[in-house]
Amino acid sequence: MSGASLPKARIVVTSRPSEYQAMHYTCRPPTLYRVLGLDKAAQAGIGEQICGDMWPLVRDYIEKNPQIRVICYVPVMCILVFHVLVWKFSDPRSAGNFNTMTSVLEFAIGWYIRSPHVNGAVDLRKLSFLAWNGFLERKIIFTEQDLRNAGMVERCAESFICTTSNGTQSNLRVIHCDKKSFFAHLVWQEFFAALHAIFELSVQEFEGYIRKIQHRRWQVVTRCMFGLYCKSISCRMHKLLGSMSSRDLTQKRRLLVQTACALLSQASNMDKQAKLERIFLVCEWCREMCSHEVTAQVASKLPLRLTLTGDILPNDVMNLLHVVRAASHSIVINVAVGTVFISDAMHGFFTNASQIDNVKMENLYLSRSRIVDNDAEALALCIKDGIQILCIDRTGISDRGFGYISQVIQGLGNPVCVF
């Protein structure tokens, strides 16, 4: 991605299109394909390969836990969740509930450190130092000198760092002057960078980076920083990392929450799409932190009216409604023309929104999304007095699905424009 091969490329396939837009126009291929996520059929195929005979058990657990189900939409997290659940069910002593991305990553680290081939012989502080420096320098390939600078000269964490020599991946430590190392996936580097920011940086250093946390390149790092403040995760990380200043941790937490609230307040001056993206981002941070107090604090900053627009992913819906549920004021949520609900985001949105008393809807333009019968049934639960426009044209809705909706509309006290 340094630009050496991109001028010759014709197509870029990525899950992070913002990085594509940041490329210099001379290096930017003409065609971009954005990977949104895995549908249920793809997840099932991966699950059978990874979990084997335990797949039915893993699948049932995921279906009963919607917060984990939406995480599995992201390919790398889907694979990690499957592995983590297999480990969990294979060892009755394994503890921990998984409802956030950070909780999955933290459990994987704990399991890895306790595994026989490591048996605790890995220094997470050194690994996090390497990740942090690489993140700041936009470096994903590390030389032997980089490893030495991080103090990693005796042993690397082979499960998280892949060592290559002449392009051949190996779990053995191969000594060559041209040896290169890299994290097995970018999400690991981003997680360890967050670990360093929370548990290693001074408050003054941390404050110097706080204004960057809303930038797209920091999205996963910031998400993990909030997640590391989840009470149960924080306690377990303390045990792994050893002593640290509780005062520093408290001050960093305060900075994160203050910044999240400030960013949400500033969203009122943005256009619809940017405003929605900012709200989704802050809500994502809140759900990672798992704090009722912080969620209520952020919820108080939500605007009175929200408009969904663009591509709506399952995780966006879950994060948004998690915060909306904690709001003390009524919130009108509308769906704009051209909005597309991806995968089961529509079903999740209407099912959960119907259970929140302070949510009202007025204008729902759904013509860009497919509506199956269970979506229509969930939608019908959200049709209440006050709704004005319902556009379900070209959604493929069946007679049965339309029956759910028309039955509710007939009982309303106000006319509704349906087309």
Side-chain angles (χ1 to χ4, degrees):
M1 298 297 287
S2 64
S5 61
L6 281 174
K8 298 179 182 179
R10 305 299 298 169
I11 296 173
V12 167
V13 181
T14 178
S15 61
R16 304 187 182 191
S18 60
E19 298 298 324
Y20 168 86
Q21 298 298 338
M23 296 178 194
H24 192 272
Y25 72 93
T26 59
C27 298
R28 191 185 303 164
T31 305
L32 169 72
Y33 287 111
R34 182 186 177 191
V35 179
L36 293 174
L38 299 172
D39 60 19
K40 285 192 175 182
Q43 291 179 28
I46 295 172
E48 290 171 358
Q49 293 177 42
I50 293 174
C51 307
D53 295 339
M54 298 186 72
W55 169 237
L57 187 63
V58 170
R59 180 189 58 208
D60 291 346
Y61 181 91
I62 293 172
E63 286 300 317
K64 293 175 182 176
N65 292 271
Q67 292 180 325
I68 286 296
R69 190 167 66 242
V70 298
I71 293 175
C72 290
Y73 191 69
V74 180
V76 64
M77 293 310 301
C78 178
I79 293 169
L80 277 172
V81 166
F82 291 162
H83 279 295
V84 162
L85 288 177
V86 168
W87 299 334
K88 177 181 173 66
F89 294 135
S90 300
D91 184 359
R93 298 169 299 175
S94 296
N97 294 317
F98 315 112
N99 54 9
T100 65
M101 182 185 78
T102 312
S103 64
V104 173
L105 295 169
E106 181 267 335
F107 182 91
I109 289 173
W111 181 90
Y112 170 74
I113 290 175
R114 294 189 301 270
S115 62
H117 72 287
V118 174
N119 198 24
V122 60
D123 192 331
L124 296 184
R125 291 178 185 271
K126 294 177 181 178
L127 204 55
S128 70
F129 181 74
L130 178 73
W132 175 254
N133 283 344
F135 178 74
L136 292 183
E137 297 172 12
R138 294 178 176 264
K139 180 184 291 187
I140 59 174
I141 305 295
F142 302 98
T143 64
E144 282 192 310
Q145 185 60 49
D146 293 324
L147 299 182
R148 282 194 292 270
N149 291 342
M152 299 173 60
V153 292
E154 295 297 328
R155 185 170 185 170
C156 289
E158 291 91 349
S159 288
F160 300 132
I161 295 285
C162 298
T163 302
T164 64
S165 178
N166 298 325
T168 303
Q169 183 170 313
S170 171
N171 285 328
L172 298 176
R173 187 168 185 271
V174 182
I175 307 298
H176 282 288
C177 61
D178 63 342
K179 188 177 71 173
K180 308 293 183 182
S181 297
F182 55 93
F183 282 84
H185 193 281
L186 182 58
V187 73
W188 283 119
Q189 182 173 348
E190 292 167 323
F191 175 81
F192 280 108
L195 203 66
H196 184 83
I198 296 301
F199 294 106
E200 294 295 318
L201 291 184
S202 68
V203 175
Q204 291 72 24
E205 289 175 308
F206 187 80
E207 196 168 6
Y209 293 107
I210 197 71
R211 293 182 180 179
K212 298 183 178 181
I213 67 173
Q214 81 271 23
H215 294 171
R216 289 183 183 276
R217 198 174 76 86
W218 285 69
Q219 184 172 357
V220 176
V221 174
T222 306
R223 183 176 178 179
C224 289
M225 285 197 287
F226 276 85
L228 289 169
Y229 275 106
C230 174
K231 188 174 293 185
S232 58
I233 294 175
S234 181
C235 290
R236 288 191 290 268
M237 292 310 301
H238 270 106
K239 294 178 181 178
L240 290 175
L241 294 170
S243 62
M244 58 200 69
S245 171
S246 58
R247 182 180 178 183
D248 283 0
L249 290 175
T250 301
Q251 289 179 330
K252 290 178 187 177
R253 183 181 188 272
R254 188 182 302 115
L255 283 170
L256 284 173
V257 176
Q258 287 175 349
T259 303
C261 291
L263 289 172
L264 201 53
S265 298
Q266 296 165 10
S268 59
N269 300 321
M270 298 177 170
D271 62 56
K272 280 185 180 179
Q273 186 64 51
K275 177 180 179 180
L276 184 65
E277 290 177 2
R278 173 67 62 81
I279 291 171
F280 281 161
L281 186 64
V282 175
C283 289
E284 182 177 69
W285 298 345
C286 276
R287 194 162 75 86
E288 287 292 325
M289 190 174 273
C290 301
S291 166
H292 295 301
E293 173 197 353
V294 171
T295 301
Q297 190 175 343
V298 170
S300 68
K301 305 293 183 182
L302 285 175
L304 299 177
R305 305 179 71 85
L306 287 173
T307 301
L308 301 187
T309 183
D311 294 336
I312 307 299
L313 300 174
N315 200 49
D316 296 332
V317 167
M318 188 66 70
N319 296 332
L320 174 65
L321 295 182
H322 169 78
V323 178
V324 167
R325 190 175 281 107
S328 57
H329 59 282
S330 293
I331 299 175
V332 176
I333 304 180
N334 291 321
V335 179
V337 175
T339 302
V340 180
F341 288 91
I342 306 298
S343 186
D344 59 352
M346 178 186 289
H347 186 264
F349 172 65
F350 288 120
T351 299
N352 289 281
S354 68
Q355 300 168 9
I356 305 175
D357 295 333
N358 61 323
V359 169
K360 302 182 184 303
M361 298 181 189
E362 294 175 351
N363 304 317
L364 302 176
Y365 291 91
L366 307 175
S367 61
R368 291 287 300 276
S369 300
R370 175 173 168 76
I371 299 179
V372 296
D373 288 348
N374 65 339
D375 295 334
E377 193 172 10
L379 170 60
L381 296 174
C382 291
I383 298 176
K384 302 173 184 177
D385 287 332
I387 192 163
Q388 300 169 11
I389 296 175
L390 176 61
C391 177
I392 52 176
D393 181 39
R394 294 172 295 168
T395 59
I397 190 169
S398 68
D399 292 341
R400 182 178 180 180
F402 186 74
Y404 292 135
I405 295 171
S406 60
Q407 186 176 0
V408 176
I409 290 177
Q410 290 172 14
L412 295 180
N414 63 278
V416 181
C417 178
V418 181
F419 60 97

